PDB file of all heavy atoms in Angstrom:
ATOM      1  N   ILE A 678     240.300-335.013 -87.440  1.00  0.00           N
ATOM      2  CA  ILE A 678     240.380-335.776 -88.697  1.00  0.00           C
ATOM      3  C   ILE A 678     241.766-336.456 -88.708  1.00  0.00           C
ATOM      4  O   ILE A 678     242.808-335.773 -88.661  1.00  0.00           O
ATOM      5  CB  ILE A 678     240.191-334.938 -89.934  1.00  0.00           C
ATOM      6  CG1 ILE A 678     238.722-334.271 -89.881  1.00  0.00           C
ATOM      7  CG2 ILE A 678     240.416-335.743 -91.196  1.00  0.00           C
ATOM      8  CD1 ILE A 678     238.490-333.312 -91.013  1.00  0.00           C
ATOM      9  N   GLU A 679     241.762-337.782 -88.748  1.00  0.00           N
ATOM     10  CA  GLU A 679     243.040-338.531 -88.904  1.00  0.00           C
ATOM     11  C   GLU A 679     243.640-338.244 -90.292  1.00  0.00           C
ATOM     12  O   GLU A 679     242.947-338.321 -91.259  1.00  0.00           O
ATOM     13  CB  GLU A 679     242.858-340.033 -88.680  1.00  0.00           C
ATOM     14  CG  GLU A 679     242.326-340.436 -87.314  1.00  0.00           C
ATOM     15  CD  GLU A 679     243.393-340.292 -86.269  1.00  0.00           C
ATOM     16  OE1 GLU A 679     244.626-340.143 -86.627  1.00  0.00           O
ATOM     17  OE2 GLU A 679     243.113-340.307 -85.013  1.00  0.00           O
ATOM     18  N   ALA A 680     244.950-337.855 -90.273  1.00  0.00           N
ATOM     19  CA  ALA A 680     245.570-337.497 -91.543  1.00  0.00           C
ATOM     20  C   ALA A 680     245.447-338.581 -92.600  1.00  0.00           C
ATOM     21  O   ALA A 680     245.366-338.260 -93.807  1.00  0.00           O
ATOM     22  CB  ALA A 680     247.065-337.155 -91.308  1.00  0.00           C
ATOM     23  N   GLU A 681     245.559-339.884 -92.177  1.00  0.00           N
ATOM     24  CA  GLU A 681     245.533-340.924 -93.155  1.00  0.00           C
ATOM     25  C   GLU A 681     244.142-341.199 -93.813  1.00  0.00           C
ATOM     26  O   GLU A 681     244.037-341.928 -94.775  1.00  0.00           O
ATOM     27  CB  GLU A 681     245.976-342.249 -92.521  1.00  0.00           C
ATOM     28  CG  GLU A 681     245.132-342.886 -91.494  1.00  0.00           C
ATOM     29  CD  GLU A 681     245.346-342.317 -90.085  1.00  0.00           C
ATOM     30  OE1 GLU A 681     246.038-341.314 -89.972  1.00  0.00           O
ATOM     31  OE2 GLU A 681     244.827-342.966 -89.145  1.00  0.00           O
ATOM     32  N   ASN A 682     243.136-340.520 -93.260  1.00  0.00           N
ATOM     33  CA  ASN A 682     241.786-340.670 -93.807  1.00  0.00           C
ATOM     34  C   ASN A 682     241.468-339.720 -94.913  1.00  0.00           C
ATOM     35  O   ASN A 682     240.365-339.155 -95.032  1.00  0.00           O
ATOM     36  CB  ASN A 682     240.749-340.501 -92.673  1.00  0.00           C
ATOM     37  CG  ASN A 682     240.822-341.685 -91.662  1.00  0.00           C
ATOM     38  OD1 ASN A 682     241.304-342.713 -92.006  1.00  0.00           O
ATOM     39  ND2 ASN A 682     240.288-341.444 -90.459  1.00  0.00           N
ATOM     40  N   TYR A 714     240.776-333.689 -98.207  1.00  0.00           N
ATOM     41  CA  TYR A 714     239.753-334.192 -97.401  1.00  0.00           C
ATOM     42  C   TYR A 714     238.402-333.590 -97.786  1.00  0.00           C
ATOM     43  O   TYR A 714     238.241-332.348 -97.728  1.00  0.00           O
ATOM     44  CB  TYR A 714     239.994-333.861 -95.881  1.00  0.00           C
ATOM     45  CG  TYR A 714     241.362-334.391 -95.444  1.00  0.00           C
ATOM     46  CD1 TYR A 714     242.522-333.618 -95.673  1.00  0.00           C
ATOM     47  CD2 TYR A 714     241.551-335.665 -94.881  1.00  0.00           C
ATOM     48  CE1 TYR A 714     243.719-334.077 -95.315  1.00  0.00           C
ATOM     49  CE2 TYR A 714     242.813-336.112 -94.517  1.00  0.00           C
ATOM     50  CZ  TYR A 714     243.911-335.317 -94.744  1.00  0.00           C
ATOM     51  OH  TYR A 714     245.173-335.797 -94.422  1.00  0.00           O
ATOM     52  N   VAL A 797     252.459-336.265 -90.321  1.00  0.00           N
ATOM     53  CA  VAL A 797     251.269-335.662 -89.744  1.00  0.00           C
ATOM     54  C   VAL A 797     250.341-336.736 -89.237  1.00  0.00           C
ATOM     55  O   VAL A 797     249.998-337.688 -90.002  1.00  0.00           O
ATOM     56  CB  VAL A 797     250.528-334.770 -90.752  1.00  0.00           C
ATOM     57  CG1 VAL A 797     249.239-334.225 -90.135  1.00  0.00           C
ATOM     58  CG2 VAL A 797     251.400-333.667 -91.250  1.00  0.00           C
ATOM     59  N   ASN A 798     250.004-336.634 -87.967  1.00  0.00           N
ATOM     60  CA  ASN A 798     249.107-337.636 -87.335  1.00  0.00           C
ATOM     61  C   ASN A 798     247.648-337.239 -87.561  1.00  0.00           C
ATOM     62  O   ASN A 798     246.815-338.054 -87.989  1.00  0.00           O
ATOM     63  CB  ASN A 798     249.426-337.727 -85.861  1.00  0.00           C
ATOM     64  CG  ASN A 798     248.717-338.894 -85.174  1.00  0.00           C
ATOM     65  OD1 ASN A 798     247.882-339.564 -85.786  1.00  0.00           O
ATOM     66  ND2 ASN A 798     249.039-339.128 -83.933  1.00  0.00           N
TER      67      ASN A 798
END
Side-chain angles (χ1 to χ4, degrees):
I678 298 175
E679 296 289 346
E681 69 274 12
N682 291 339
Y714 306 84
V797 178
N798 189 353

